[in-house]
Amino acid sequence: QQPVQSPQAVILREGEDAVINCSSSKALYSVHWYRQKHGEAPVFLMILLKGGEQKGHEKISASFNEKKQQSSLYLTASQLSYSGTYFCGTERGSGGSNYKLTFGKGTLLTVNP
Amino acid sequence: NAGVTQTPKFQVLKTGQSMTLQCAQDMNHEYMSWYRQDPGMGLRLIHYSVGAGITDQGEVPNGYNVSRSTTEDFPLRLLSAAPSQTSVYFCASRPAGGATGELFFGEGSRLTVL
């Protein structure tokens, strides 16, 4: 079952902030975030594990609320290079032997000058 | 390191034809997977493998076959192509084991079925 991402699309001006949300109806072991530029392969941003560990990447950070099975990706002071489609991927269960990484439908982020 | 290599990058098929999308990785990753990407649908898991000789179905396995005879290779076979299989296909790999980890994607294969 695909996780649900919101919003579907967001348009920013350079320097503005954005939040992308990802939620699942099932208990999660981990949440992954990837960014994909048009015509390219998805690129890994970060992983958040059950236990609430939060990991950041430059000016991009994320959180994982285990009780709500939700994750949020925070883009601070956006740059033109942040434009692309952001996907969250989720793994269910206790991890380890569960290798199914299921992706949401994506959020299209456009950063304008 | 080449990472994950997919061939071909582009392919046009007629309905009913068969073909194989090739995927090879040189990172000694135990886990390999195939996704298809369609507009507005995100990335959907077709099949995956946690090691040589072990494969399992993902979300959308119908119409596709896989096998894993070596750690390096994970080909995806379309036995009788249908227009609904027109898509961009991505192969991805990562180390297996007790912890999750980053997925490394190939550059993708764009398939058109007429």
Side-chain angles (χ1 to χ4, degrees):
Chain A
Q1 186 174 6
Q2 286 184 292
V4 178
Q5 287 186 234
S6 62
Q8 290 183 328
V10 58
I11 300 174
L12 301 174
R13 289 213 178 271
E14 204 171 2
E16 292 181 337
D17 302 338
V19 180
I20 300 173
N21 300 303
C22 175
S23 65
S24 173
S25 60
K26 306 292 184 181
L28 298 177
Y29 167 68
S30 72
V31 178
H32 295 222
W33 286 97
Y34 291 77
R35 178 171 61 208
Q36 184 180 32
K37 302 278 187 177
H38 183 68
E40 299 180 4
V43 174
F44 172 78
L45 293 176
M46 65 189 69
I47 291 174
L48 300 104
L49 303 178
K50 186 177 180 179
E53 185 174 0
Q54 181 174 343
K55 299 185 178 182
H57 175 76
E58 298 178 343
K59 294 182 181 177
I60 301 173
S61 61
S63 62
F64 180 19
N65 185 323
E66 292 174 53
K67 289 184 179 180
K68 294 184 177 181
Q69 305 306 323
Q70 292 176 348
S71 178
S72 295
L73 186 71
Y74 306 95
L75 299 100
T76 306
S78 59
Q79 306 170 11
L80 296 176
S81 61
Y82 287 4
S83 292
T85 301
Y86 289 77
F87 293 99
C88 72
T90 58
E91 289 177 295
R92 292 169 49 188
S94 57
S97 60
N98 185 349
Y99 294 104
K100 282 188 180 182
L101 184 59
T102 304
F103 286 93
K105 294 183 179 181
T107 296
L108 178 61
L109 178 74
T110 303
V111 181
N112 293 319
Chain B
N1 280 348
V4 179
T5 303
Q6 291 182 233
T7 56
K9 288 185 169 50
F10 300 94
Q11 183 72 49
V12 178
L13 291 177
K14 294 182 179 179
T15 298
Q17 287 184 319
S18 63
M19 76 155 302
T20 299
L21 296 176
Q22 302 289 346
C23 177
Q25 52 89 11
D26 61 359
M27 297 173 283
N28 201 31
H29 286 170
E30 293 179 354
Y31 175 85
M32 297 186 73
S33 57
W34 277 102
Y35 289 88
R36 61 176 288 173
Q37 184 171 33
D38 304 292
M41 299 300 294
L43 294 152
R44 292 183 292 171
L45 181 63
I46 305 172
H47 285 286
Y48 66 99
S49 168
V50 298
I54 306 170
T55 63
D56 204 349
Q57 297 180 348
E59 307 164 79
V60 288
N62 292 340
Y64 307 96
N65 282 348
V66 292
S67 60
R68 185 93 178 271
S69 57
T70 67
T71 299
E72 295 78 20
D73 301 298
F74 190 44
L76 179 71
R77 297 183 185 87
L78 287 72
L79 297 180
S80 180
S84 61
Q85 294 178 303
T86 293
S87 187
V88 179
Y89 292 85
F90 286 99
C91 179
S93 72
R94 66 178 179 186
T100 185
E102 171 186 354
L103 264 183
F104 294 82
F105 284 86
E107 295 184 341
S109 297
R110 182 174 294 275
L111 175 66
T112 302
V113 183
L114 302 176

